[in-house]
Amino acid sequence: MKYMKMAAIALMALALFSCNNKNNEPKNEVAQLSIRINDAQLRAMMDPAETDAQTLITDNVVLTLDNGEQITLNADEIAQAKGTDGYKKPVTEVVKTVSLVANGKIEKTTDITTLQGKDIATEIALTAPATAVSTTVKDGMTTYEVELSPVPAVARLEVAGKIVGQENKTTHKQAFKDITVEHVYVNNYLSTIIGTRHMCVTNGKDGFAATPVLQKQMNDKIEAGDKEAFEKIEKVAGYYLFPKKDDETASAPDYFDHVILKIKITYTDEALVADPTLAQKTDRYVTIARFMKSATGDLDATGFLAGTIYKLDLGELSKDFKTGDDGKPDPENPDTPDPEPTANKQLVVKVKPYTWTAQNIKPDVNNGYKK
């Protein structure tokens, strides 16, 4: 009897404990992460042959949650993420932010030379920073939803066009028969996204020095067969560039990225008569160290922004190749015997940027050319 009473008490205690535990246990809610990727605004360069091309997310899509978890999407999941409903994935923890990399990843050691020649429509690395999710609860389902708008990790600079020497407005004398761009170089660029700037020329004397090494991926010879298309901007010398580092500030004479033009000047007979030494001054350089969009200094704070194509129409330089009253080239013209001259006189070049469409740029007459 004693044992039966003890067993009954034990059963009652167990039942009471079971009831209390059922009321106090945490709810096992169902949760999901819903992600939509919007790449509709990633426009490709203004190549006349493919004016409607886009930089699209194609592969190597990795999502990173705020807890460090990474999710790699396959082709079907990428397609879902770019659809109206987005990509949905069950999750077991609270999600606060989601970031993205796609089409490859820019590492701290990635050299800018390895990115040249990449297909802008499919091969340019894209990133979206950590973006806060919105949270909704419906029918017991918690959904963490976020829309990511990735942008390219690099800027693009395109150079093309025709420089035309100007006659003197008073005497109407003309010193220039023709100005041909033979070679385009990019200088003073960031080799890596956190590294130092690469200067192919540091002394501005005797052409390009043997060191530092002149990187073949960062310059283009304008072959005779491409000359007409280059001058009509049907073909461009194009380069991907890392944006300036956060701690960099624009300062004369170097600012940020440079464009160096090797030009061949053909002078008029009248100019050669006025100055016979011009016959030895046909091979010249123009070094552009500072650019602007519409007003002097409007690119100094930002430099070339990632996700933007900057188009430098060399026709913008024409106004700076002047003829003096005496029929000789104006000594203030931007051409020099060597690239990257050491003096501080410059001309700013105006560019027109687009957000993955195009922005023209050109020299600014205020300290843009190194002279």
Side-chain angles (χ1 to χ4, degrees):
M1 187 74 177
K2 180 179 180 180
Y3 290 113
M4 291 180 63
K5 184 179 288 186
M6 291 176 65
I9 293 172
L11 287 172
M12 290 176 64
L14 179 63
L16 181 61
F17 173 80
S18 298
C19 292
N20 289 340
N21 188 55
K22 185 175 292 184
N23 292 333
N24 295 329
E25 70 180 1
K27 294 181 179 179
N28 185 21
E29 290 185 341
V30 179
Q32 68 176 356
L33 175 64
S34 177
I35 296 174
R36 185 169 182 274
I37 299 173
N38 177 15
D39 62 2
Q41 300 304 313
L42 298 173
R43 305 299 301 176
M45 62 177 175
M46 299 298 291
D47 184 339
E50 298 183 50
T51 54
D52 294 326
Q54 290 180 306
T55 299
L56 300 176
I57 292 175
T58 56
D59 57 15
N60 295 317
V61 175
V62 179
L63 306 171
T64 302
L65 310 187
D66 54 279
N67 64 1
E69 179 183 351
Q70 291 191 327
I71 302 169
T72 300
L73 304 187
N74 61 34
D76 290 339
E77 291 166 339
I78 293 172
Q80 292 172 23
K82 295 199 290 185
T84 302
D85 296 330
Y87 160 71
K88 294 177 173 61
K89 176 182 174 62
V91 293
T92 58
E93 297 184 19
V94 173
V95 179
K96 296 179 180 178
T97 65
V98 183
S99 62
L100 171 150
V101 295
N103 298 356
K105 184 178 181 181
I106 301 295
E107 305 285 357
K108 292 180 179 179
T109 57
T110 301
D111 195 291
I112 194 66
T113 60
T114 65
L115 304 181
Q116 306 308 316
K118 295 283 189 182
D119 185 345
I120 200 169
T122 59
E123 297 179 329
I124 296 302
L126 303 171
T127 62
T131 303
V133 304
S134 61
T135 305
T136 58
V137 179
K138 184 177 181 181
D139 299 330
M141 171 71 76
T142 300
T143 299
Y144 306 110
E145 188 169 0
V146 64
E147 180 169 311
L148 302 175
S149 298
V151 297
V154 293
R156 181 168 174 82
L157 174 64
E158 295 181 355
V159 182
K162 173 67 175 173
I163 303 173
V164 179
Q166 303 299 297
E167 71 170 23
N168 185 278
K169 294 181 179 180
T170 302
T171 64
H172 300 291
K173 292 181 178 180
Q174 171 63 275
F176 305 97
K177 185 181 292 184
D178 181 69
I179 302 173
T180 295
V181 176
E182 296 186 329
H183 217 118
V184 178
Y185 304 85
V186 177
N187 202 26
N188 202 44
Y189 57 86
L190 289 174
S191 296
T192 62
I193 203 162
I194 63 168
T196 58
R197 291 193 172 269
H198 185 88
M199 285 285 282
C200 303
V201 178
T202 56
N203 59 6
K205 185 176 181 295
D206 301 326
F208 289 94
T211 56
V213 176
L214 182 63
Q215 299 289 343
K216 64 180 181 180
Q217 299 92 336
M218 305 304 291
N219 68 83
D220 286 279
K221 182 179 181 181
I222 313 304
E223 303 288 354
D226 294 328
K227 179 178 181 293
E228 182 178 0
F230 178 82
E231 293 180 347
K232 290 182 177 179
I233 319 183
E234 294 171 351
K235 287 188 176 182
V236 301
Y239 310 94
Y240 298 113
L241 300 170
F242 287 132
K244 81 172 190 69
K245 295 179 291 186
D246 291 341
D247 60 352
E248 287 187 296
T249 56
S251 59
D254 290 326
Y255 298 94
F256 302 123
D257 305 273
H258 297 183
V259 171
I260 301 173
L261 308 174
K262 181 182 179 184
I263 61 175
K264 173 79 73 173
I265 300 178
T266 304
Y267 300 99
T268 61
D269 293 340
E270 293 79 7
L272 289 167
V273 169
D275 182 2
T277 66
L278 291 176
Q280 286 78 51
K281 298 177 181 178
T282 59
D283 294 326
R284 308 286 282 178
Y285 290 90
V286 178
T287 299
I288 307 168
R290 193 183 188 193
F291 300 86
M292 68 178 191
K293 292 180 292 184
S294 58
T296 297
D298 61 9
L299 276 178
D300 287 355
T302 62
F304 293 149
L305 294 172
T308 302
I309 296 174
Y310 295 88
K311 289 180 168 286
L312 173 56
D313 180 354
L314 297 180
E316 292 284 352
L317 281 65
S318 296
K319 68 183 185 308
D320 302 312
F321 281 81
K322 304 172 184 176
T323 301
D325 292 344
D326 55 4
K328 296 185 292 186
D330 190 315
E332 297 299 311
N333 288 350
D335 57 298
T336 61
D338 291 287
E340 294 287 357
T342 55
N344 291 333
K345 185 177 179 180
Q346 300 171 332
L347 180 72
V348 183
V349 179
K350 185 175 181 180
V351 295
K352 182 182 178 184
Y354 294 68
T355 303
W356 236 220
T357 48
Q359 163 99 44
N360 293 334
I361 59 177
K362 66 182 181 182
D364 190 322
V365 294
N366 295 304
N367 300 324
Y369 292 127
K370 291 186 74 176
K371 181 80 168 165

